[in-house]
Amino acid sequence: MSEISKLTHPRVIDGWFREISDEYFPGQAMMLRVEEILLAEKSEFQDILVFKSTDYGNVLVLDGIIQVTERDEFAYQEMITHLPMFSHPNPKRVLVIGGGDGGVLREVVKHPSVESATLVEIDSTIIDLSRKYLPGMSSALDHPKVKICIQDGFKFLEEASEKFDVIITDSSDPEGPAEAFFQENYFHLLKSALSPNGIVISQASENIWLKIANLKKLKNICEKVFSQVKYSYCTIPTYTSGQLGLMVCTDSPEIELITPSRRVSRKEESALFRYYNSEIHTQSFVLPTWADKVING
Amino acid sequence: MSEISKLTHPRVIDGWFREISDEYFPGQAMMLRVEEILLAEKSEFQDILVFKSTDYGNVLVLDGIIQVTERDEFAYQEMITHLPMFSHPNPKRVLVIGGGDGGVLREVVKHPSVESATLVEIDSTIIDLSRKYLPGMSSALDHPKVKICIQDGFKFLEEASEKFDVIITDSSDPEGPAEAFFQENYFHLLKSALSPNGIVISQASENIWLKIANLKKLKNICEKVFSQVKYSYCTIPTYTSGQLGLMVCTDSPEIELITPSRRVSRKEESALFRYYNSEIHTQSFVLPTWADKVING
């Protein structure tokens, strides 16, 4: 038995990781079968677990919640990136807050219009472990257009003088280091860091099948700050209930959030993206009747 | 401690039900917290478990696989019913194969055009337990337009002389009593039981996040029999990966599967349905790029 295979984590029992959280999803839990625990430690900010799963590739877990698996991460990374990027007519300067794994950056730099992509991640451990265990995501961390700041996103925005065309908040959930990213102050800071046609998008932590009231609450907060706020989602099997909500906002009347302002050919789409396409861009804003009533009613 | 609370089931350990299946979804599993096991028995055809969950209402499990939970069943029942019902201009005679819980019938009889709805269920135990434990689904079993046949669906179709406008196969998964419902012979039988503009829909057992090759295989089988075959899906948190695939088929060039042929007002939609609406009808056929390539390419 090698040294590494002796690692343990309280959430891994009998060879299965259990994502149990009374706070986020009482009474339901996802299990993934573990082949080997690769990393189990506490950083300055959070509890970190990386394991090799039998069927989902390597998996990153922060404070007990699955953040990415190699098998399905593209769904989330592509949608949180390309919804604002394709709604914007010419995104040159992009800011990513959180997302130290590099997956969102990988998608951002697919747009030739991008001149700079700035990553602000509070926890350098995430970047280091991604380079080691998530090569399909971390490769973009070394892209020549990418700048990395190890800093709290909130503080970065308070001090920033630069303006951005697209800002993507790729955070963990509200309990823990990402708490501030779900409050009104944060959206005011985002707004002040946007160029005139700028767009922001945030992972909404919830989805329509969980605490839908929290989505409505987040949308109300965003609507205090931005004139256009739309709820979208992507399907992704390893997030609770199989989907993750996304909140897209802009203050520009010239931006159409639901319809892409630019399109690439079907062939190019198929070469560049595994999840995103121009139909699914628009489709992702259509909700089941009850959810539409709560969120958009 | 009451008699009933002493029931046990091998899939319920430490107060949690574990949906583990190396056959259907290796390496991943859904857990639901159990408040009380209500029924645990073997019928002539399958292993049956009904439990009261802490957060999803009562849950029906057949051969270890979750079939319905009271909290989210409407998503599946509405989509498998209203996709074909609203694509058909005037559905009068409807056949439901499987679906002994009554949930699909509840949706079918919402259409005033319906004159008769026939349910063919092989296992009378399902009907009995639904009347007892799933009142929100079983109420329609007593609707005056409903006829119930306790019979094998395959045999019913071989002997049937009646023609139907819509046939819904609401079966369990291919391993077990529903095996025949995923083979070419079955789709030929369905076709011969259809009226000229008839539509069939089947639960596809899989979804794009699981064994997508099986979906392509099922679509190929259907395309040998029907001139129009379309893949759709609904999101539903208690099916593996958070969604379930649906295969819709017709041999009529006059039928448009993707767009509803009839619409009700937004207000009426909101009163009648919790999931279905005319936008989501069309949206449900749009797939992520990689899945579209495999299934429709």
mmCIF file of all heavy atoms in Angstrom, chain A residues 85 92-98 104-105 108 116-120 147 149 153 156-157 160 162-170 186 190 193 199 201:
data_model
loop_
_atom_site.group_PDB
_atom_site.id
_atom_site.type_symbol
_atom_site.label_atom_id
_atom_site.label_comp_id
_atom_site.label_asym_id
_atom_site.label_seq_id
_atom_site.Cartn_x
_atom_site.Cartn_y
_atom_site.Cartn_z
ATOM 1 N N MET A 85 -20.254 35.849 -22.482
ATOM 2 C CA MET A 85 -19.280 36.147 -23.546
ATOM 3 C C MET A 85 -19.962 36.273 -24.915
ATOM 4 O O MET A 85 -19.576 37.116 -25.724
ATOM 5 C CB MET A 85 -18.200 35.068 -23.594
ATOM 6 C CG MET A 85 -17.270 35.042 -22.378
ATOM 7 S SD MET A 85 -16.253 36.530 -22.153
ATOM 8 C CE MET A 85 -14.966 36.257 -23.381
ATOM 9 N N LYS A 92 -13.378 42.134 -24.437
ATOM 10 C CA LYS A 92 -11.908 42.211 -24.491
ATOM 11 C C LYS A 92 -11.267 41.947 -23.135
ATOM 12 O O LYS A 92 -10.241 41.305 -23.038
ATOM 13 C CB LYS A 92 -11.483 43.605 -24.977
ATOM 14 C CG LYS A 92 -11.821 43.859 -26.439
ATOM 15 C CD LYS A 92 -11.350 45.242 -26.862
ATOM 16 C CE LYS A 92 -11.686 45.498 -28.326
ATOM 17 N NZ LYS A 92 -11.399 46.883 -28.717
ATOM 18 N N ARG A 93 -11.856 42.533 -22.104
ATOM 19 C CA ARG A 93 -11.269 42.418 -20.767
ATOM 20 C C ARG A 93 -12.227 41.627 -19.877
ATOM 21 O O ARG A 93 -13.367 42.027 -19.675
ATOM 22 C CB ARG A 93 -11.024 43.813 -20.174
ATOM 23 C CG ARG A 93 -10.224 44.709 -21.112
ATOM 24 C CD ARG A 93 -9.956 46.066 -20.516
ATOM 25 N NE ARG A 93 -8.935 45.999 -19.491
ATOM 26 C CZ ARG A 93 -7.627 45.889 -19.732
ATOM 27 N NH1 ARG A 93 -7.192 45.845 -20.976
ATOM 28 N NH2 ARG A 93 -6.768 45.822 -18.750
ATOM 29 N N VAL A 94 -11.735 40.514 -19.363
ATOM 30 C CA VAL A 94 -12.583 39.604 -18.587
ATOM 31 C C VAL A 94 -11.974 39.405 -17.202
ATOM 32 O O VAL A 94 -10.759 39.259 -17.061
ATOM 33 C CB VAL A 94 -12.718 38.252 -19.314
ATOM 34 C CG1 VAL A 94 -13.581 37.292 -18.506
ATOM 35 C CG2 VAL A 94 -13.283 38.452 -20.722
ATOM 36 N N LEU A 95 -12.852 39.401 -16.201
ATOM 37 C CA LEU A 95 -12.427 39.141 -14.820
ATOM 38 C C LEU A 95 -13.142 37.892 -14.308
ATOM 39 O O LEU A 95 -14.352 37.766 -14.460
ATOM 40 C CB LEU A 95 -12.794 40.351 -13.945
ATOM 41 C CG LEU A 95 -12.574 40.230 -12.432
ATOM 42 C CD1 LEU A 95 -11.087 40.054 -12.100
ATOM 43 C CD2 LEU A 95 -13.138 41.469 -11.715
ATOM 44 N N VAL A 96 -12.365 36.986 -13.723
ATOM 45 C CA VAL A 96 -12.939 35.789 -13.109
ATOM 46 C C VAL A 96 -12.635 35.838 -11.615
ATOM 47 O O VAL A 96 -11.466 35.917 -11.223
ATOM 48 C CB VAL A 96 -12.341 34.501 -13.719
ATOM 49 C CG1 VAL A 96 -12.980 33.266 -13.084
ATOM 50 C CG2 VAL A 96 -12.527 34.484 -15.242
ATOM 51 N N ILE A 97 -13.678 35.807 -10.803
ATOM 52 C CA ILE A 97 -13.488 35.838 -9.345
ATOM 53 C C ILE A 97 -13.774 34.443 -8.805
ATOM 54 O O ILE A 97 -14.867 33.897 -9.028
ATOM 55 C CB ILE A 97 -14.398 36.904 -8.713
ATOM 56 C CG1 ILE A 97 -13.908 38.287 -9.177
ATOM 57 C CG2 ILE A 97 -14.382 36.793 -7.191
ATOM 58 C CD1 ILE A 97 -14.771 39.431 -8.735
ATOM 59 N N GLY A 98 -12.803 33.868 -8.110
ATOM 60 C CA GLY A 98 -12.878 32.450 -7.764
ATOM 61 C C GLY A 98 -12.341 31.645 -8.942
ATOM 62 O O GLY A 98 -11.518 32.139 -9.715
ATOM 63 N N VAL A 104 -12.848 27.981 -16.031
ATOM 64 C CA VAL A 104 -13.513 29.108 -16.686
ATOM 65 C C VAL A 104 -12.533 29.845 -17.594
ATOM 66 O O VAL A 104 -12.872 30.232 -18.720
ATOM 67 C CB VAL A 104 -14.139 30.058 -15.630
ATOM 68 C CG1 VAL A 104 -14.560 31.377 -16.243
ATOM 69 C CG2 VAL A 104 -15.329 29.380 -14.947
ATOM 70 N N LEU A 105 -11.294 30.015 -17.129
ATOM 71 C CA LEU A 105 -10.268 30.656 -17.974
ATOM 72 C C LEU A 105 -10.095 29.893 -19.294
ATOM 73 O O LEU A 105 -9.957 30.498 -20.356
ATOM 74 C CB LEU A 105 -8.931 30.703 -17.237
ATOM 75 C CG LEU A 105 -8.803 31.703 -16.097
ATOM 76 C CD1 LEU A 105 -7.452 31.533 -15.403
ATOM 77 C CD2 LEU A 105 -8.974 33.145 -16.591
ATOM 78 N N VAL A 108 -12.795 31.135 -21.416
ATOM 79 C CA VAL A 108 -12.680 32.560 -21.754
ATOM 80 C C VAL A 108 -11.717 32.765 -22.923
ATOM 81 O O VAL A 108 -12.014 33.495 -23.873
ATOM 82 C CB VAL A 108 -12.212 33.379 -20.519
ATOM 83 C CG1 VAL A 108 -11.781 34.788 -20.925
ATOM 84 C CG2 VAL A 108 -13.310 33.432 -19.455
ATOM 85 N N SER A 116 -7.290 40.382 -22.254
ATOM 86 C CA SER A 116 -6.769 39.971 -20.947
ATOM 87 C C SER A 116 -7.848 39.262 -20.133
ATOM 88 O O SER A 116 -9.027 39.633 -20.193
ATOM 89 C CB SER A 116 -6.230 41.175 -20.171
ATOM 90 O OG SER A 116 -7.315 41.880 -19.604
ATOM 91 N N ALA A 117 -7.418 38.246 -19.413
ATOM 92 C CA ALA A 117 -8.317 37.508 -18.526
ATOM 93 C C ALA A 117 -7.653 37.452 -17.156
ATOM 94 O O ALA A 117 -6.584 36.862 -17.001
ATOM 95 C CB ALA A 117 -8.559 36.102 -19.062
ATOM 96 N N THR A 118 -8.298 38.126 -16.192
ATOM 97 C CA THR A 118 -7.716 38.233 -14.853
ATOM 98 C C THR A 118 -8.428 37.275 -13.906
ATOM 99 O O THR A 118 -9.665 37.284 -13.829
ATOM 100 C CB THR A 118 -7.864 39.680 -14.326
ATOM 101 O OG1 THR A 118 -7.253 40.556 -15.269
ATOM 102 C CG2 THR A 118 -7.203 39.838 -12.965
ATOM 103 N N LEU A 119 -7.665 36.461 -13.215
ATOM 104 C CA LEU A 119 -8.228 35.546 -12.228
ATOM 105 C C LEU A 119 -7.906 36.046 -10.831
ATOM 106 O O LEU A 119 -6.737 36.283 -10.512
ATOM 107 C CB LEU A 119 -7.644 34.143 -12.409
ATOM 108 C CG LEU A 119 -8.168 33.081 -11.436
ATOM 109 C CD1 LEU A 119 -9.470 32.483 -11.957
ATOM 110 C CD2 LEU A 119 -7.152 31.979 -11.201
ATOM 111 N N VAL A 120 -8.944 36.203 -9.993
ATOM 112 C CA VAL A 120 -8.726 36.602 -8.601
ATOM 113 C C VAL A 120 -9.216 35.464 -7.701
ATOM 114 O O VAL A 120 -10.424 35.229 -7.579
ATOM 115 C CB VAL A 120 -9.477 37.907 -8.270
ATOM 116 C CG1 VAL A 120 -9.230 38.287 -6.817
ATOM 117 C CG2 VAL A 120 -9.021 39.023 -9.196
ATOM 118 N N LYS A 147 -3.833 36.755 -16.263
ATOM 119 C CA LYS A 147 -3.135 37.311 -15.089
ATOM 120 C C LYS A 147 -3.759 36.701 -13.839
ATOM 121 O O LYS A 147 -4.988 36.637 -13.748
ATOM 122 C CB LYS A 147 -3.337 38.829 -15.015
ATOM 123 C CG LYS A 147 -2.562 39.608 -16.047
ATOM 124 C CD LYS A 147 -2.718 41.101 -15.799
ATOM 125 C CE LYS A 147 -3.862 41.665 -16.647
ATOM 126 N NZ LYS A 147 -4.015 43.136 -16.513
ATOM 127 N N CYS A 149 -4.220 36.851 -9.689
ATOM 128 C CA CYS A 149 -4.034 37.580 -8.421
ATOM 129 C C CYS A 149 -4.525 36.695 -7.288
ATOM 130 O O CYS A 149 -5.690 36.282 -7.292
ATOM 131 C CB CYS A 149 -4.877 38.858 -8.381
ATOM 132 S SG CYS A 149 -4.559 39.986 -9.716
ATOM 133 N N GLY A 153 -11.671 38.431 -3.638
ATOM 134 C CA GLY A 153 -12.359 39.065 -4.758
ATOM 135 C C GLY A 153 -13.028 40.375 -4.375
ATOM 136 O O GLY A 153 -13.036 41.351 -5.148
ATOM 137 N N PHE A 156 -10.335 42.989 -4.076
ATOM 138 C CA PHE A 156 -9.835 43.308 -5.421
ATOM 139 C C PHE A 156 -10.749 44.343 -6.075
ATOM 140 O O PHE A 156 -10.290 45.336 -6.644
ATOM 141 C CB PHE A 156 -9.763 42.044 -6.281
ATOM 142 C CG PHE A 156 -9.354 42.300 -7.706
ATOM 143 C CD1 PHE A 156 -8.011 42.287 -8.083
ATOM 144 C CD2 PHE A 156 -10.313 42.572 -8.687
ATOM 145 C CE1 PHE A 156 -7.632 42.535 -9.400
ATOM 146 C CE2 PHE A 156 -9.940 42.825 -10.003
ATOM 147 C CZ PHE A 156 -8.597 42.796 -10.357
ATOM 148 N N LEU A 157 -12.058 44.113 -5.979
ATOM 149 C CA LEU A 157 -13.023 45.018 -6.617
ATOM 150 C C LEU A 157 -13.023 46.391 -5.951
ATOM 151 O O LEU A 157 -13.136 47.422 -6.628
ATOM 152 C CB LEU A 157 -14.434 44.422 -6.561
ATOM 153 C CG LEU A 157 -14.690 43.230 -7.493
ATOM 154 C CD1 LEU A 157 -16.023 42.580 -7.161
ATOM 155 C CD2 LEU A 157 -14.651 43.656 -8.959
ATOM 156 N N ALA A 160 -9.999 48.084 -7.384
ATOM 157 C CA ALA A 160 -9.748 48.044 -8.833
ATOM 158 C C ALA A 160 -10.086 49.364 -9.514
ATOM 159 O O ALA A 160 -11.094 49.997 -9.205
ATOM 160 C CB ALA A 160 -10.574 46.924 -9.463
ATOM 161 N N GLU A 162 -9.442 49.302 -13.045
ATOM 162 C CA GLU A 162 -9.669 48.737 -14.381
ATOM 163 C C GLU A 162 -11.154 48.427 -14.584
ATOM 164 O O GLU A 162 -11.845 48.070 -13.623
ATOM 165 C CB GLU A 162 -8.853 47.424 -14.455
ATOM 166 C CG GLU A 162 -8.606 46.917 -15.843
ATOM 167 C CD GLU A 162 -7.769 45.619 -15.826
ATOM 168 O OE1 GLU A 162 -7.182 45.288 -14.764
ATOM 169 O OE2 GLU A 162 -7.730 44.957 -16.867
ATOM 170 N N LYS A 163 -11.633 48.563 -15.811
ATOM 171 C CA LYS A 163 -13.014 48.187 -16.123
ATOM 172 C C LYS A 163 -13.019 46.909 -16.962
ATOM 173 O O LYS A 163 -12.122 46.681 -17.775
ATOM 174 C CB LYS A 163 -13.721 49.317 -16.893
ATOM 175 C CG LYS A 163 -13.745 50.651 -16.164
ATOM 176 C CD LYS A 163 -14.663 50.637 -14.960
ATOM 177 C CE LYS A 163 -14.613 51.987 -14.233
ATOM 178 N NZ LYS A 163 -15.267 51.943 -12.915
ATOM 179 N N PHE A 164 -14.062 46.114 -16.773
ATOM 180 C CA PHE A 164 -14.148 44.815 -17.459
ATOM 181 C C PHE A 164 -15.438 44.712 -18.284
ATOM 182 O O PHE A 164 -16.472 45.241 -17.901
ATOM 183 C CB PHE A 164 -14.105 43.686 -16.425
ATOM 184 C CG PHE A 164 -12.830 43.673 -15.632
ATOM 185 C CD1 PHE A 164 -12.752 44.332 -14.402
ATOM 186 C CD2 PHE A 164 -11.694 43.030 -16.124
ATOM 187 C CE1 PHE A 164 -11.570 44.336 -13.674
ATOM 188 C CE2 PHE A 164 -10.506 43.041 -15.393
ATOM 189 C CZ PHE A 164 -10.445 43.694 -14.168
ATOM 190 N N ASP A 165 -15.339 43.977 -19.379
ATOM 191 C CA ASP A 165 -16.518 43.768 -20.233
ATOM 192 C C ASP A 165 -17.380 42.625 -19.698
ATOM 193 O O ASP A 165 -18.606 42.648 -19.834
ATOM 194 C CB ASP A 165 -16.071 43.452 -21.667
ATOM 195 C CG ASP A 165 -15.215 44.559 -22.242
ATOM 196 O OD1 ASP A 165 -15.622 45.732 -22.101
ATOM 197 O OD2 ASP A 165 -14.136 44.267 -22.792
ATOM 198 N N VAL A 166 -16.734 41.633 -19.130
ATOM 199 C CA VAL A 166 -17.453 40.499 -18.541
ATOM 200 C C VAL A 166 -16.793 40.153 -17.208
ATOM 201 O O VAL A 166 -15.563 40.063 -17.135
ATOM 202 C CB VAL A 166 -17.424 39.265 -19.479
ATOM 203 C CG1 VAL A 166 -17.931 38.022 -18.757
ATOM 204 C CG2 VAL A 166 -18.259 39.518 -20.742
ATOM 205 N N ILE A 167 -17.608 39.986 -16.167
ATOM 206 C CA ILE A 167 -17.092 39.517 -14.870
ATOM 207 C C ILE A 167 -17.841 38.241 -14.484
ATOM 208 O O ILE A 167 -19.081 38.222 -14.440
ATOM 209 C CB ILE A 167 -17.251 40.569 -13.753
ATOM 210 C CG1 ILE A 167 -16.594 41.894 -14.165
ATOM 211 C CG2 ILE A 167 -16.636 40.044 -12.449
ATOM 212 C CD1 ILE A 167 -16.737 43.002 -13.114
ATOM 213 N N ILE A 168 -17.102 37.199 -14.225
ATOM 214 C CA ILE A 168 -17.675 35.893 -13.894
ATOM 215 C C ILE A 168 -17.325 35.562 -12.442
ATOM 216 O O ILE A 168 -16.147 35.483 -12.094
ATOM 217 C CB ILE A 168 -17.092 34.810 -14.833
ATOM 218 C CG1 ILE A 168 -17.463 35.129 -16.292
ATOM 219 C CG2 ILE A 168 -17.582 33.414 -14.425
ATOM 220 C CD1 ILE A 168 -16.686 34.309 -17.325
ATOM 221 N N THR A 169 -18.357 35.380 -11.605
ATOM 222 C CA THR A 169 -18.097 34.947 -10.229
ATOM 223 C C THR A 169 -18.266 33.437 -10.160
ATOM 224 O O THR A 169 -19.375 32.916 -10.180
ATOM 225 C CB THR A 169 -19.053 35.620 -9.230
ATOM 226 O OG1 THR A 169 -18.998 37.042 -9.414
ATOM 227 C CG2 THR A 169 -18.646 35.281 -7.803
ATOM 228 N N ASP A 170 -17.142 32.753 -10.111
ATOM 229 C CA ASP A 170 -17.140 31.289 -10.070
ATOM 230 C C ASP A 170 -16.745 30.882 -8.655
ATOM 231 O O ASP A 170 -15.651 30.408 -8.402
ATOM 232 C CB ASP A 170 -16.135 30.768 -11.104
ATOM 233 C CG ASP A 170 -16.043 29.260 -11.090
ATOM 234 O OD1 ASP A 170 -16.971 28.611 -10.578
ATOM 235 O OD2 ASP A 170 -15.035 28.726 -11.595
ATOM 236 N N TYR A 186 -21.757 43.423 -2.912
ATOM 237 C CA TYR A 186 -20.887 42.800 -3.914
ATOM 238 C C TYR A 186 -21.339 43.154 -5.328
ATOM 239 O O TYR A 186 -20.510 43.468 -6.186
ATOM 240 C CB TYR A 186 -20.888 41.288 -3.703
ATOM 241 C CG TYR A 186 -20.039 40.543 -4.708
ATOM 242 C CD1 TYR A 186 -18.654 40.706 -4.744
ATOM 243 C CD2 TYR A 186 -20.615 39.686 -5.620
ATOM 244 C CE1 TYR A 186 -17.871 40.035 -5.668
ATOM 245 C CE2 TYR A 186 -19.837 38.995 -6.551
ATOM 246 C CZ TYR A 186 -18.474 39.173 -6.572
ATOM 247 O OH TYR A 186 -17.700 38.511 -7.486
ATOM 248 N N LEU A 190 -19.379 45.002 -8.349
ATOM 249 C CA LEU A 190 -19.280 44.449 -9.706
ATOM 250 C C LEU A 190 -19.692 45.509 -10.732
ATOM 251 O O LEU A 190 -19.009 45.730 -11.736
ATOM 252 C CB LEU A 190 -20.197 43.222 -9.860
ATOM 253 C CG LEU A 190 -19.770 41.943 -9.145
ATOM 254 C CD1 LEU A 190 -20.858 40.878 -9.290
ATOM 255 C CD2 LEU A 190 -18.445 41.406 -9.690
ATOM 256 N N ALA A 193 -17.233 48.073 -11.529
ATOM 257 C CA ALA A 193 -16.037 47.587 -12.247
ATOM 258 C C ALA A 193 -16.341 47.225 -13.702
ATOM 259 O O ALA A 193 -15.487 46.681 -14.410
ATOM 260 C CB ALA A 193 -15.450 46.380 -11.518
ATOM 261 N N ILE A 199 -21.268 42.878 -18.620
ATOM 262 C CA ILE A 199 -22.187 41.825 -18.154
ATOM 263 C C ILE A 199 -21.522 41.083 -16.996
ATOM 264 O O ILE A 199 -20.330 40.783 -17.057
ATOM 265 C CB ILE A 199 -22.479 40.815 -19.285
ATOM 266 C CG1 ILE A 199 -23.052 41.524 -20.525
ATOM 267 C CG2 ILE A 199 -23.441 39.725 -18.810
ATOM 268 C CD1 ILE A 199 -23.145 40.622 -21.749
ATOM 269 N N ILE A 201 -21.981 37.565 -14.402
ATOM 270 C CA ILE A 201 -22.702 36.315 -14.164
ATOM 271 C C ILE A 201 -22.148 35.699 -12.883
ATOM 272 O O ILE A 201 -20.948 35.781 -12.617
ATOM 273 C CB ILE A 201 -22.577 35.348 -15.368
ATOM 274 C CG1 ILE A 201 -23.471 34.108 -15.165
ATOM 275 C CG2 ILE A 201 -21.130 34.926 -15.615
ATOM 276 C CD1 ILE A 201 -23.675 33.285 -16.434
#
